[in-house]
Amino acid sequence: MKFAHFLVALVVLALASSIATAGDPSPLQDFCVAINDPKAAGLNTPRYTGNKVGSNVTLLNVDQIAGLNTLGISLARIDYAPNGGLNPPHTHPRGTEILVVVEGTLYVGFVTSNPDNRFINKVLYPGDVFVQNPGTITIANAVFGSDPPISLDVLAKAFMLDSKIVSYLQKQFGGNNK
Ligand SMILES: *[C@@H]1O[C@H](CO)[C@@H](O)[C@H](O)[C@H]1NC(C)=O
């Protein structure tokens, strides 16, 4: 796939449920203390993307914007290197993601929850929005056993593995990339 432009995507995370798990910070706090020294959020300059995966995530949460305290929402800017910059497969344990493409084209996807592990993917253009709200996901099955399979190139780069090993793992989990 060819990416002609510099790619920028914005991701909004909203808290999906009120179920708390041990170890997670509480999404809501009893007291909201106003502060007078907000940190510069800086959404306006391109980020360095010459790292191994070719992407750079800039977080904008309550640590940068104090006014988000108790609101259960945060934002991230993601810069992708042209021609194959990647944000590795991940989940957000405390949020539902809404992704908006600001510049360029972006190949996105997610794997549905157990038992299907169906891979839903699409190329997005500026202004396109993508929403994900998964249930329970077993990581290995979702990553290596999705149907259809996630591309060898994406998984090899994300996990820093030889594509032969990715192919082997996909076979173990019932995927079938050649
Ligand atoms: C992200 O971009 C900033 C600003 O260009 C840079 O300082 C930082 O090292 C980059 N992070 C990664 C992981 O490349």
Side-chain angles (χ1 to χ4, degrees):
M1 188 168 308
K2 289 263 185 293
F3 294 94
H5 304 292
F6 194 76
L7 303 169
V8 180
L10 289 181
V11 169
V12 178
L13 291 177
L15 291 174
S17 85
S18 58
I19 298 167
T21 334
D24 273 351
S26 169
L28 297 181
Q29 294 124 52
D30 288 339
F31 299 98
C32 177
V33 181
I35 57 164
N36 288 324
D37 61 342
K39 297 177 186 71
L43 270 183
N44 51 350
T45 51
R47 302 295 191 267
Y48 172 75
T49 55
N51 49 50
K52 271 189 182 162
V53 286
S55 70
N56 193 323
V57 179
T58 307
L59 291 175
L60 290 173
N61 55 33
V62 66
D63 291 337
Q64 289 81 29
I65 304 173
L68 291 177
N69 191 25
T70 74
L71 295 186
I73 193 164
S74 65
L75 185 74
R77 166 193 168 130
I78 309 173
D79 292 63
Y80 293 90
N83 302 309
L86 172 77
N87 188 15
H90 60 275
T91 67
H92 293 289
R94 298 184 301 279
T96 294
E97 176 168 309
I98 302 173
L99 182 145
V100 183
V101 173
V102 177
E103 279 177 45
T105 53
L106 186 66
Y107 174 56
V108 300
F110 66 90
V111 179
T112 64
S113 50
N114 295 348
D116 293 344
N117 291 308
R118 191 153 58 93
F119 182 39
I120 294 169
N121 58 93
K122 203 172 184 347
V123 175
L124 300 183
Y125 299 90
D128 285 350
V129 175
F130 201 72
V131 180
Q132 171 191 11
N133 187 4
T136 303
I137 287 179
T138 305
I139 303 293
N141 296 65
V143 171
F144 297 108
S146 71
D147 180 23
I150 299 173
S151 106
L152 279 182
D153 291 345
V154 165
L155 293 180
K157 190 168 185 174
F159 291 92
M160 295 181 202
L161 290 173
D162 190 282
S163 57
K164 284 197 192 95
I165 296 173
V166 173
S167 182
Y168 169 82
L169 288 169
Q170 286 185 321
K171 282 194 190 91
Q172 307 313 301
F173 287 96
N176 59 348
N177 248 336
K178 268 104 223 159

